[in-house]
Amino acid sequence: MPKLSTDTLWELAAAEVHTRENGTREEDGGEPVSERTVFLMGSKAGGKTSILLRCLERDEPSKPTLALEYTFGRRARGHNTPKDIAHIWELGGGTSLSDLVQIPISTNNIRTLSVILILDLSKPNALWSTAERLLLEAQTQVQKAFSQVERVRKVQGGGKQQASVQPAARVLPKDYPDRELINPFPIPLLIIGSKYDLFQESDSEKRKVVSKTLRFLAHYYAASLIFTSIKSETLMSKTKTFFSHLAFGQERGKVVSCDTSKPLIIPAGSDSLSQIGSPPSSDVDITSLHARNPLDLWKKVYEHVFPPESTSARLELKDPAKDSQYIEPQIDAMRAQKDQELEQYKRDAAKSWKGLELES
């Protein structure tokens, strides 16, 4: 006769949570976890889905991402070994749906989560604003999730001071280049510059500005950086190596290429501020920009060369129902009817409240 468990439902749930939280990343010095989460975000129509399908070795046509989509990948560590699982979230719409980052970034997966930011190199004018907005949204949500985990830990510990299971942010090695001058992203971050095949056809000086700026951004956030194109098997193979490192804990690779005339391949910790140099500002006086910090300085120089796009178009797409790629005639007609009914209800309600005020 099987032995009956005397644990309460709460004790069983607490034990399950404890088991999940004991997972560690390779960079923490522990064994690779069996489940990890990867969150992809980036430029609208920047090739996120196509890159993901290639990294997962799925031979299927890519489709526009509808808001936020989930998939998963599995990979065996070796012969006759259990397969590791990667939970993968992809955010569509560029920056217009950035509020949705709170779904894939949660207390349930924060300890095994990595972020991939995919930026469209063929649209340099939107590059900085896209990176800035999405990284800020993701970083805010990550820090919020860590804070919630810490509060729960203190409650469970009865308010006693105990060592945190996970620090609130990544702790870089003491010999990490420029460790005291940068602002590491709180979880592992990979920046991918997509559509390199189109990018390499642009003006060489402008390519240099984009390349140096992304080198600075990647180093500032302690992130890895790679330029890729789905039309290049060689570049996609190297991209897949970076992806597999985050998703399955495999070796990241040691290839480094900092030559701005070639596709950049820079693993985190392989670059430095001295190698990157100062912002490319041949036709602007840096001292006249009144930058608050190095990040602000690079932003001002970059946007001097590539003025940001108008925000009006992006604001219009804040509501997915107004996005042309999601058109559904019957649903849209019904939505318009309901919107009219709602407006009429508001007007009627306002009249009723005014009537009540006059009577009183």
Side-chain angles (χ1 to χ4, degrees):
M1 182 176 179
K3 183 179 178 181
L4 295 176
S5 173
T6 59
D7 292 337
T8 66
L9 180 61
W10 171 256
E11 289 171 336
L12 291 172
E16 174 67 19
V17 171
H18 178 72
T19 300
R20 292 182 181 181
E21 290 182 347
N22 279 340
T24 56
R25 296 188 182 92
E26 278 189 338
E27 64 190 48
D28 295 328
E31 292 296 321
V33 296
S34 59
E35 295 188 30
R36 297 170 185 245
T37 301
V38 180
F39 174 38
L40 278 77
M41 59 184 186
S43 304
K44 181 179 174 63
K48 297 183 293 296
T49 304
S50 298
I51 291 173
L52 176 59
L53 290 174
R54 294 287 291 276
C55 288
L56 293 175
E57 299 180 350
R58 294 182 182 174
D59 186 16
E60 57 186 82
S62 62
K63 300 178 181 178
T65 302
L66 300 176
L68 182 67
E69 295 188 358
Y70 168 84
T71 187
F72 69 92
R74 295 193 297 175
R75 188 162 300 175
R77 304 181 195 179
H79 185 61
N80 290 331
T81 59
K83 291 185 178 181
D84 291 337
I85 300 175
H87 303 281
I88 303 165
W89 293 88
E90 181 186 351
L91 179 68
T95 60
S96 64
L97 302 174
S98 59
D99 293 346
L100 295 179
V101 300
Q102 59 187 308
I103 297 176
I105 302 176
S106 68
T107 56
N108 294 329
N109 61 23
I110 194 63
R111 293 191 178 95
T112 58
L113 176 67
S114 301
V115 170
I116 298 179
L117 175 65
I118 299 179
L119 300 172
D120 189 343
L121 297 175
S122 69
K123 298 178 180 177
N125 295 80
L127 189 146
W128 185 283
S129 59
T130 298
E132 183 179 47
R133 174 70 180 276
L134 291 176
L135 287 176
L136 178 60
E137 292 278 359
Q139 187 168 11
T140 300
Q141 183 61 27
V142 167
Q143 292 170 340
K144 185 183 300 183
F146 273 127
S147 297
Q148 291 173 347
V149 170
E150 184 65 13
R151 284 197 297 271
V152 171
R153 185 192 65 82
K154 289 182 178 179
V155 170
Q156 292 177 343
K160 298 179 180 179
Q161 292 295 326
Q162 300 175 356
S164 297
V165 178
Q166 173 76 16
R170 291 159 62 198
V171 178
L172 300 179
K174 292 184 178 180
D175 60 348
Y176 196 94
D178 309 308
R179 184 171 179 266
E180 303 300 327
L181 302 175
I182 61 178
N183 182 27
F185 201 73
I187 58 177
L189 172 65
L190 168 63
I191 299 176
I192 298 178
S194 64
K195 302 185 181 181
Y196 181 78
D197 54 306
L198 300 177
F199 176 69
Q200 65 181 347
E201 297 175 359
S202 59
D203 178 75
S204 60
E205 287 302 313
K206 291 187 176 181
R207 287 205 314 270
K208 183 177 180 181
V209 173
V210 174
S211 297
K212 288 193 66 174
T213 300
L214 286 181
R215 281 183 64 185
F216 171 79
L217 272 181
H219 184 60
Y220 183 78
Y221 288 110
S224 296
L225 173 67
I226 184 170
F227 285 2
T228 194
S229 168
I230 59 172
K231 296 182 179 180
S232 170
E233 290 296 333
T234 301
L235 290 179
M236 280 308 308
S237 175
K238 291 180 170 60
T239 304
K240 181 181 175 182
T241 299
F242 278 87
F243 173 84
S244 297
H245 172 70
L246 297 179
F248 304 107
Q250 298 186 355
E251 287 293 326
R252 183 178 60 185
K254 300 180 180 179
V255 177
V256 179
S257 174
C258 299
D259 187 348
T260 56
S261 65
K262 300 177 181 179
L264 297 181
I265 305 173
I266 309 176
S270 303
D271 214 344
S272 67
L273 295 176
S274 60
Q275 291 176 327
I276 298 171
S278 59
S281 55
S282 58
D283 59 341
V284 61
D285 180 11
I286 291 181
T287 59
S288 66
L289 296 178
H290 305 293
R292 300 185 301 272
N293 50 55
L295 183 66
D296 191 40
L297 175 62
W298 278 84
K299 175 183 178 179
K300 290 180 181 298
V301 172
Y302 184 85
E303 292 187 342
H304 175 79
V305 180
F306 297 104
E309 297 177 333
S310 172
T311 59
S312 58
R314 295 199 298 270
L315 290 174
E316 290 176 0
L317 294 181
K318 189 67 179 179
D319 182 358
K322 298 179 181 179
D323 195 330
S324 59
Q325 68 174 320
Y326 305 138
I327 290 177
E328 291 287 348
Q330 293 181 341
I331 296 177
D332 292 342
M334 182 63 70
R335 170 68 183 269
Q337 179 182 337
K338 293 299 181 182
D339 286 342
Q340 291 177 0
E341 293 175 0
L342 176 60
E343 290 302 319
Q344 185 61 46
Y345 174 80
K346 289 179 179 179
R347 288 192 291 268
D348 294 343
K351 292 178 181 178
S352 299
W353 278 107
K354 288 181 180 178
L356 290 174
E357 290 175 358
L358 290 174
E359 291 177 5
S360 63

